[in-house]
């Protein structure tokens, strides 16, 4: 347990010292929430904050569990850090456990910060237990995708691919822009994305009178199984 705790502290310390990671995990979600909640530019019926707050929470999960994990693990792998740490008494299982725990800690901080900001902006959530299930499944699905990229691509390719995919998913997943505003074929594709299912599940679990589509649970669960299996199959430690 001491080795795991020490590695967890190291993971969190490295994250706190990385300005790019802090911008991605806290800066961008906070700016998006504050800006679009106060500027009436989105085609949203009702109060913008009611639509935006759950979507930005889902975006925060995506940024941490996929983008941050992919980039950090990709560079650790290319520099030989994973190989060296995996051969120490820490071992590979505890190394991966430390990375997973660091994701959960960061996500908890993100949710607290975004929740407090949303409440200050007038959000009145209707909380249901499904939001926890949605965040857990979304974290597993996105982390599996991040590890798949980190374990199969060169570090610089991971950096570009993770950030590019993050931007695409931000625009297509209904996190900030409603799915109804997308062209028909693009909307059909977006409904199969894990990020879209995550956003719908979080929004439906936090909005009074709104139900989570059954399709969203199926899609999210399917990705939560498929991406970790794919990462396990193709991940290379060096």
């Amino acid at each position: 347990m001491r080795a795991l705790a020490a590695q967890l502290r190291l993971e969190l310390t490295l994250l706190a010292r990385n300005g790019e990671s802090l911008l991605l995990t806290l800066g961008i979600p906070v700016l998006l929430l504050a800006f679009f909640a106060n500027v009436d530019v989105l085609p949203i019926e009702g109060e913008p904050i009611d639509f935006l707050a759950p979507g930005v929470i889902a975006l925060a999960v995506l940024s941490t569990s996929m983008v941050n994990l992919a980039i950090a693990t990709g560079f650790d792998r290319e520099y030989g850090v994973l190989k060296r740490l995996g051969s120490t008494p820490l071992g590979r299982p505890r190394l991966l456990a430390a990375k997973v725990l660091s994701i959960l800690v960061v996500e908890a901080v993100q949710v607290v910060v975004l929740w407090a900001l949303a409440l200050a902006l007038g959000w009145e959530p209707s909380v249901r237990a499904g939001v926890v299930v949605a965040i857990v499944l979304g974290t597993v699905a996105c982390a599996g995708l991040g590890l798949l990229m980190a374990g199969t691509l060169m570090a610089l390719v991971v950096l570009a691919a993770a950030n590019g995919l993050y931007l695409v998913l931000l625009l297509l997943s209904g996190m900030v822009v409603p799915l109804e505003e997308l062209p028909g074929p693009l909307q059909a594709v977006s409904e199969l994305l894990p990020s879209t299912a995550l956003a719908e599940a979080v929004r439906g679990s936090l909005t009074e009178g709104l139900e989570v589509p059954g399709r969203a649970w199926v899609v999210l669960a399917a990705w939560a199984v498929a991406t970790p299996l794919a990462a396990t199959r193709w991940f290379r430690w060096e």
Side-chain angles (χ1 to χ4, degrees):
M1 290 300 294
R2 287 185 178 180
L4 175 61
Q7 185 62 30
L8 175 59
R9 285 196 300 271
L10 177 61
E11 296 285 345
L12 293 173
T13 300
L14 292 175
L15 176 63
R17 292 177 178 176
N18 190 325
E20 180 183 350
S21 294
L22 291 177
L23 175 64
L24 188 65
T25 55
L26 281 177
I28 292 177
V30 166
L31 286 174
L32 285 174
L33 181 59
F35 179 81
F36 286 112
N38 289 288
V39 179
D40 189 15
V41 295
L42 296 178
I44 299 171
E45 294 182 4
E47 294 296 327
I49 191 63
D50 294 333
F51 176 85
L52 288 168
V56 173
I57 289 175
L59 177 65
V61 172
L62 174 68
S63 66
T64 299
S65 58
M66 187 189 77
V67 184
N68 270 351
L69 180 62
I71 294 173
T73 306
F75 278 98
D76 282 350
R77 172 174 167 266
E78 182 156 318
Y79 294 152
V81 175
L82 290 184
K83 179 182 178 181
R84 294 188 183 93
L85 287 177
S87 62
T88 66
L90 175 67
R92 292 182 178 182
R94 280 184 287 190
L95 172 59
L96 292 178
K99 288 186 175 294
V100 171
L101 289 173
S102 69
I103 290 173
L104 295 176
V105 171
V106 172
E107 286 181 352
V109 173
Q110 288 175 302
V111 170
V112 169
V113 171
L114 292 171
W115 198 288
L117 176 59
L119 291 176
L121 292 171
W123 185 39
E124 297 180 358
S126 176
V127 183
R128 280 167 279 178
V131 66
V132 177
V133 179
I135 290 176
V136 170
L137 288 177
T139 298
V140 173
C142 295
L145 188 56
L147 287 174
L148 180 61
M149 288 189 287
T152 57
L153 303 173
M154 300 293 290
L156 290 178
V157 178
V158 174
L159 177 64
N163 282 313
L165 185 57
Y166 173 77
L167 181 58
V168 171
L169 295 180
L170 167 63
L171 297 175
L172 296 184
S173 298
M175 293 177 172
V176 177
V177 179
L179 290 179
E180 294 77 14
E181 298 301 318
L182 299 177
L186 203 56
Q187 182 178 339
V189 172
S190 70
E191 289 178 350
L192 300 176
L193 298 174
S195 49
T196 302
L198 172 61
E200 289 180 321
V202 172
R203 185 171 289 118
S205 299
L206 293 176
T207 305
E208 186 176 1
L210 185 64
E211 296 296 328
V212 180
R215 167 191 50 78
W217 289 121
V218 173
V219 170
L220 194 56
W223 280 94
V225 172
T227 58
L229 288 177
T232 302
R233 170 64 179 82
W234 285 292
F235 190 93
R236 298 192 304 270
W237 286 79
E238 54 181 303

